[in-house]
Amino acid sequence: MSGIPFAEAVPALIEIGRRLDARGWAPATSGNYSARLDEGSFAITVSGTHKGRLNPGGIMRIDAKGQALTPGKPSAETALHLALYRMFPGAGAVLHGHSPQAVGLSRAAREAGEWVFRGHEMLKAFPGVASHEGEIRLPMVDNSQDMAEIEAAVRPALTAPGAAPAYLIRSHGLYAWGKDLDEAERVLEATEWLIAAELAEQNFRRALAR
């Protein structure tokens, strides 16, 4: 369970916030990002901060129980980040975005417990996937103000074969993680692309059927 120094995590998280905000995945003060640190704690965005305008004061340190180690109030969804770090000891970063496409998918597929992506070249962006000739399962769970309820609902799906290192909270947003910040961002971006591509495909099919 290696990590990075806090001094390295701060500018990296600030830059990620700017990139994700520029893509429309962090409107208002939504979203939260974290990274595993090299001394056993975690860096996480401060609650209520605009992710496209982060500065060093918008990143704080917490321990493995979510207690603040530096000034600030951690994200309200800190427990979901820590749950993923416990579930996947190799995870070095967790990113949570709120794109309209991801939220729209979760609302349209209201009864679905997952969305399956098949045959896309972009599948190879996910860790351990070497071919487009397969599938990735994106779990979807209902939203709740109780983070423990979300964790309990999604845990079985995340540990099932073929699950993406990502999941959707219905009417809320997308969580993605990886061994480091670069991989977590790649997973988030690839998942968002797949959602957008499937939406485009459905729109074209409807247009061609007229």
Side-chain angles (χ1 to χ4, degrees):
M1 294 190 295
S2 61
I4 60 176
F6 184 65
E8 183 179 331
V10 171
L13 289 168
I14 289 172
E15 184 56 36
I16 282 175
R18 289 173 180 160
R19 288 199 294 271
L20 299 190
D21 177 59
R23 304 192 69 162
W25 299 347
T29 61
S30 67
N32 35 77
Y33 319 134
S34 68
R36 189 189 297 274
L37 301 178
D38 57 1
E39 25 63 46
S41 62
F42 301 88
I44 194 164
T45 47
V46 173
S47 179
T49 52
H50 193 293
K51 306 312 178 297
R53 306 170 196 157
L54 283 172
N55 57 44
I59 312 293
M60 62 182 295
R61 284 177 57 230
I62 57 170
D63 64 18
K65 295 182 179 180
Q67 298 300 307
L69 300 175
T70 55
K73 177 184 177 183
S75 166
E77 295 169 39
T78 293
L80 295 180
H81 288 250
L82 295 177
L84 290 169
Y85 289 121
R86 288 193 303 270
M87 220 181 306
F88 303 103
V94 177
L95 304 176
H96 174 42
H98 288 246
S99 80
Q101 291 85 2
V103 173
L105 168 61
S106 74
R107 290 173 62 85
R110 188 166 294 278
E111 304 303 320
E114 65 179 14
W115 190 269
V116 183
F117 300 108
R118 297 184 177 94
H120 289 278
E121 182 72 11
M122 189 60 72
L123 294 179
K124 295 193 291 185
F126 292 91
V129 178
S131 171
H132 71 282
E133 296 177 339
E135 62 183 35
I136 282 283
R137 299 178 177 274
L138 178 68
M140 290 191 284
V141 295
D142 288 337
N143 197 10
S144 172
Q145 296 306 303
D146 184 343
M147 299 301 107
E149 188 175 310
I150 294 175
E151 178 188 353
V154 78
R155 178 181 287 270
L158 293 181
T159 55
Y167 72 93
L168 263 174
I169 301 175
R170 205 175 314 279
S171 297
H172 185 157
L174 178 68
Y175 269 88
W177 56 95
K179 65 181 180 180
D180 53 28
L181 283 164
D182 285 344
E183 184 171 276
E185 187 175 10
R186 185 168 70 249
V187 168
L188 181 69
E189 188 171 5
T191 306
E192 290 284 7
W193 186 93
L194 287 165
I195 292 170
E198 300 251 319
L199 175 61
E201 179 181 355
Q202 290 187 21
N203 288 339
F204 278 119
R205 287 184 184 279
R206 282 195 291 268
L208 292 169
R210 291 173 184 167

